[in-house]
Amino acid sequence: MDMCGIVGYIGKQNDPRIGLEALKRLEYRGYDSSGIALFDDEKNAIFAEKAVGKISELEKKVPWDAIRGSCLILQTRWATHGAPSAKNAHPHIDCKRNIYLVHNGIIENYKPLKEKLLRKGHIFRSETDTEVLPHLIEEYAAQYTLEEAVRRALQLVKGTYGIAVISKKDPHKIVAARMASPLLIGVGNDEYMVASDPSAVLAHTNRVVYLEDGDIAVLTKSGFRIADLNRKAQERQAHEVEWGLEEAQKGGYAHFMLKEIYEQPEAIENSIRGRLIQDEGMARLGGLEPVKARLREIDKVRIIACGTAYHAGLVGKYMLEEYAGIPVEVDFASEFRYRKPILDKNTLAVFISQSGETADTIAALREAKEKGALCIGIVNTVGSSIARDTHAGVYNHAGPEIGVASTKAFTSQLTVLALLTLYLGRPRGMSYVFGERIAKEIVRLPQFARLILRQNNQIKKIALKYKDYANFLFLGRKYNYPIALEGALKLKEISYAHAEGLSAGEIKHGSLALIDKNFPTVAIAMKDSVYEKMLSNIEEIKARGGPVIAITTTGNKKIEGVADDVIYVPKTLEMLSPIISTIPLQLLAYHIAALRGCDVDKPRNLAKSVTVE
Ligand code: G6P
């Protein structure tokens, strides 16, 4: 998961600024804190420093002219466990300050590992999941080489990691390992680098070796070798990276938005990771444990958010009312804070925010807290204002989102809301059978998302056909009504076409008057409880000459006789269908905007995080 950026360098140069420059190229991956560790040959010691904030803060703190070393590791962090702070910044170390490690990913079983290590007398200095790694390695370091100690530690670990490790006791090497987090080796002349993505190494070399899951690599000044967790040697081919720096940061995609659309299967997976007890049909939300008793007492829910997060909230209302049996109201933060909302101690106020810094949402949170409501957050940015100021919460773990138009944060918010529905619903009478069905289906969502992404070319063709229309209508019902709103928002914010999202039942009350051959409609018509109604609406539009693009369930070929263009989405539970039906709408908006030549990642007049009222 793109949550942090890590870099290592070993080679002929001994000015550590080489690592700093490489790290700066990874800053886009997140920058709540950063750190460096380097083996100083002259002093035969490891120098380490950490700083909170952007990499420039680290740059200010380190006495670059006074340190020398040709074996170093660095990290720029985007917090998932433990707030951004100097003690939680990487590198993390063992008790004796011999082993220094940087990590990108999540160690899922860190709690039991940490308890065990604490019982053995290890001293922990941070709140992170990562810190178990240097302590585990320490357990084996006296007896084995660094790579063997790392291997034995990793055999005990569950989760995702890209790591780079150095040790005072076994110097002149970097050990790197990968499991489901990106990591590559940059192959230069008498110099080698390890990095989360190619942009960090491009200034030195365009030859890279992508590590695979289970790979453990040892880099020295004269080369590198790779073996797997079972010590079997692995041959990996070098690739020539043909991307420029900016392209590399976008992973080869033309825009961050497209990259983030493609990251959704992983983002959804990361939102679910460790949170589903499938055979009990339950969700485990550690972040809500502290308020568990109060959650039992709540009799109504208020969801408060802005923009795309508000649309996620609307879907949440349908989920929570149908399956948890709790009345829910959804508000724009900017409305909530200026009216006189009625809340009390039995109200659960849920604040959804990607950035955790939206001014209106923060102000609404303050208001709800004053009125005594139990306030929880669904927030992507760890340690942000909303994450800190709520009583408890659930992090999205979707990774940093850079495109102004929210995509992976949205599907992740919906996924967390589905988990919350299980979490609140099961103790309130949702049957085991239902819980289990929902849980089983949630697990399949990443795969469904992948299937939709495969239709990208076909969606691009549809975009080409419709790109010059000035107006669009987006229609949906029930669970997919908010997706119609979100589809319209995506299109208008990045392509500047006018687009309106509506509940399909409402078109007769006004908007149908707009429809003619120049006014296309995007209709979300999944084969669900409101399908027949949607079909009638589509027919009403066709009868007025309006072109229709239908989003429907795979296999529903019949709709091709009614709609002009059809995009198919795999069948899933009605309550979960918004999580996947929204993806073709993101792609449609993206391609229309890109074909119109718009600045997709930075639409005019808009900001990623609206920190003013
Ligand atoms: C801005 C962004 C949107 C986002 C909204 C709420 O308008 O461009 O993508 O949905 O703010 O932001 P939040 O960070 O609170 O989710």
Side-chain angles (χ1 to χ4, degrees):
M1 199 52 224
D2 297 341
M3 294 212 185
C4 308
I6 66 173
V7 176
Y9 174 89
I10 187 159
K12 59 191 174 196
Q13 310 197 39
N14 72 351
D15 183 344
R17 267 170 281 232
I18 200 167
L20 178 74
E21 294 311 317
L23 192 68
K24 281 185 183 166
R25 307 204 194 285
L26 295 182
E27 189 160 40
Y28 77 95
R29 297 172 73 91
Y31 46 78
D32 60 45
S33 55
S34 56
I36 178 171
L38 105 148
F39 187 79
D40 192 322
D41 293 290
E42 279 166 30
K43 298 186 185 129
N44 200 28
I46 288 181
F47 167 88
E49 188 58 276
K50 304 171 177 197
V52 176
K54 293 197 168 192
I55 294 170
S56 54
E57 298 302 318
L58 182 71
E59 188 170 8
K60 280 185 227 156
K61 243 175 140 179
V62 172
W64 298 99
D65 292 323
I67 54 169
R68 280 290 167 268
S70 51
C71 173
L72 58 152
I73 55 172
L74 304 96
Q75 196 229 31
T76 175
R77 177 166 187 250
W78 201 78
T80 57
H81 291 70
S85 64
K87 74 170 187 238
N88 288 338
H90 298 217
H92 287 289
I93 52 178
D94 65 333
C95 300
K96 298 197 197 84
R97 297 176 193 273
N98 286 326
I99 298 159
Y100 288 72
L101 176 144
V102 291
H103 168 220
N104 170 29
I106 299 172
I107 305 303
E108 281 165 35
N109 60 338
Y110 80 99
K111 279 198 183 129
L113 290 173
K114 185 169 174 175
E115 278 160 24
K116 233 184 190 166
L117 289 161
L118 283 170
R119 279 199 297 275
K120 286 189 162 178
H122 285 263
I123 303 153
F124 279 75
R125 302 176 176 93
S126 80
E127 300 149 350
T128 62
D129 54 326
T130 300
E131 201 188 344
V132 298
L133 293 173
H135 290 285
L136 281 174
I137 296 168
E138 182 177 25
E139 287 281 298
Y140 302 105
Q143 229 178 319
Y144 299 105
T145 60
L146 181 60
E147 54 272 31
E148 183 58 20
V150 167
R151 175 176 291 113
R152 285 177 188 249
L154 292 179
Q155 282 167 348
L156 304 172
V157 155
K158 271 198 216 123
T160 62
Y161 51 80
I163 57 168
V165 196
I166 61 173
S167 163
K168 204 154 54 182
K169 297 277 170 206
D170 191 358
H172 313 299
K173 65 167 79 154
I174 297 175
V175 175
R178 168 196 157 126
M179 185 65 74
S181 286
L183 200 62
L184 56 87
I185 297 174
V187 184
N189 291 327
D190 299 325
E191 51 182 359
Y192 299 87
M193 294 179 83
V194 46
S196 303
D197 78 39
S199 49
V201 308
L202 280 178
H204 301 273
T205 177
N206 64 351
R207 288 192 69 212
V208 305
V209 170
Y210 291 96
L211 293 183
E212 292 184 14
D213 287 352
D215 281 359
I216 298 175
V218 183
L219 286 71
T220 65
K221 273 184 190 173
S222 53
F224 66 90
R225 54 178 198 276
I226 303 171
D228 67 12
L229 281 165
N230 301 315
R231 298 175 193 84
K232 193 163 172 255
Q234 298 292 328
E235 287 295 320
R236 302 268 175 255
Q237 258 201 317
H239 297 260
E240 303 275 321
V241 179
E242 277 155 20
W243 298 329
L245 184 61
E246 216 189 307
E247 265 179 298
Q249 292 184 334
K250 293 175 190 157
Y253 291 99
H255 296 96
F256 280 113
M257 182 185 176
L258 188 60
K259 174 172 177 261
E260 286 156 8
I261 290 173
Y262 271 84
E263 280 169 354
Q264 288 178 112
E266 281 168 39
I268 297 169
E269 227 153 54
N270 280 314
S271 306
I272 303 168
R273 197 180 296 285
R275 289 174 167 169
L276 268 182
I277 318 168
Q278 257 194 81
D279 28 331
E280 288 175 33
M282 249 315 262
R284 185 195 299 124
L285 297 173
L288 298 184
E289 280 304 298
V291 297
K292 206 172 178 182
R294 268 195 80 184
L295 280 171
R296 264 182 240 124
E297 307 298 318
I298 59 137
D299 56 19
K300 57 179 175 299
V301 173
R302 291 291 166 82
I303 302 180
I304 299 132
C306 301
T308 290
Y310 168 81
H311 295 152
L314 288 178
V315 176
K317 173 183 167 77
Y318 286 84
M319 290 178 175
L320 287 164
E321 290 196 333
E322 183 166 6
Y323 291 105
I326 317 171
V328 182
E329 272 183 43
V330 192
D331 265 294
F332 289 120
S334 54
E335 288 299 317
F336 179 89
R337 60 180 292 202
Y338 294 118
R339 59 185 179 81
K340 295 273 168 280
I342 297 165
L343 335 163
D344 56 33
K345 65 175 185 9
N346 294 332
T347 308
L348 172 67
V350 182
F351 297 84
I352 309 179
S353 176
Q354 189 287 124
S355 63
E357 299 295 349
T358 302
D360 280 325
T361 315
I362 294 173
L365 166 59
R366 215 168 287 139
E367 170 93 18
K369 251 178 138 178
E370 253 164 44
K371 296 210 154 131
L374 172 61
C375 298
I376 66 167
I378 298 178
V379 173
N380 194 34
T381 309
V382 173
S384 57
S385 301
I386 295 171
R388 288 197 312 268
D389 295 347
T390 38
H391 298 117
V394 186
Y395 281 123
N396 287 98
H397 295 167
E401 192 178 64
I402 293 167
V404 164
S406 185
T407 52
K408 65 173 179 175
F410 179 61
T411 42
S412 161
Q413 286 157 353
L414 297 176
T415 306
V416 170
L417 285 162
L419 296 173
L420 186 67
T421 303
L422 281 178
Y423 188 82
L424 295 179
R426 287 281 281 119
R428 287 165 191 265
M430 180 200 291
S431 71
Y432 160 75
V433 178
F434 252 100
E436 199 204 14
R437 258 183 71 196
I438 295 171
K440 279 207 167 129
E441 205 60 17
I442 289 177
V443 175
R444 300 174 70 194
L445 291 170
Q447 186 50 23
F448 291 156
R450 277 185 199 105
L451 289 173
I452 297 169
L453 294 171
R454 281 195 207 143
Q455 298 176 61
N456 181 45
N457 282 342
Q458 188 213 335
I459 296 170
K460 190 172 174 184
K461 272 190 207 140
I462 297 176
L464 198 60
K465 183 167 157 190
Y466 290 90
K467 73 177 174 49
D468 294 322
Y469 285 91
N471 299 289
F472 290 82
L473 197 61
F474 283 73
L475 297 182
R477 281 173 182 259
K478 208 174 165 185
Y479 282 97
N480 281 297
Y481 155 54
I483 300 308
L485 300 181
E486 175 61 10
L489 176 63
K490 283 292 87 90
L491 184 64
K492 73 178 138 195
E493 69 179 321
I494 59 171
S495 79
Y496 318 141
H498 164 245
E500 209 177 321
L502 274 181
S503 148
E506 277 294 299
I507 53 166
K508 291 187 193 63
H509 303 293
S511 302
L512 200 53
L514 297 169
I515 295 299
D516 61 20
K517 65 178 187 348
N518 297 317
F519 205 129
T521 295
V522 180
I524 309 151
M526 309 301 287
K527 280 284 242 173
D528 57 16
S529 65
V530 287
Y531 176 69
E532 296 303 327
K533 302 278 171 214
M534 272 307 299
L535 200 60
S536 314
N537 294 130
I538 293 174
E539 272 157 2
E540 281 158 13
I541 288 162
K542 285 309 303 171
R544 273 97 189 156
V548 172
I549 305 168
I551 315 292
T552 192
T553 311
T554 306
N556 181 25
K557 288 271 173 207
K558 261 193 174 159
I559 207 166
E560 289 177 18
V562 193
D564 300 82
D565 292 278
V566 182
I567 303 169
Y568 291 100
V569 167
K571 182 161 184 55
T572 182
L573 294 180
E574 185 170 291
M575 74 170 267
L576 300 177
S577 70
I579 302 174
I580 52 175
S581 64
T582 198
I583 299 175
L585 303 188
Q586 297 167 344
L587 284 170
L588 188 67
Y590 170 78
H591 287 301
I592 290 180
L595 288 164
R596 284 177 169 223
C598 298
D599 188 352
V600 173
D601 285 332
K602 290 201 181 76
R604 67 185 184 203
N605 313 337
L606 301 178
K608 179 70 186 153
S609 180
V610 184
T611 53
V612 291
E613 296 175 2

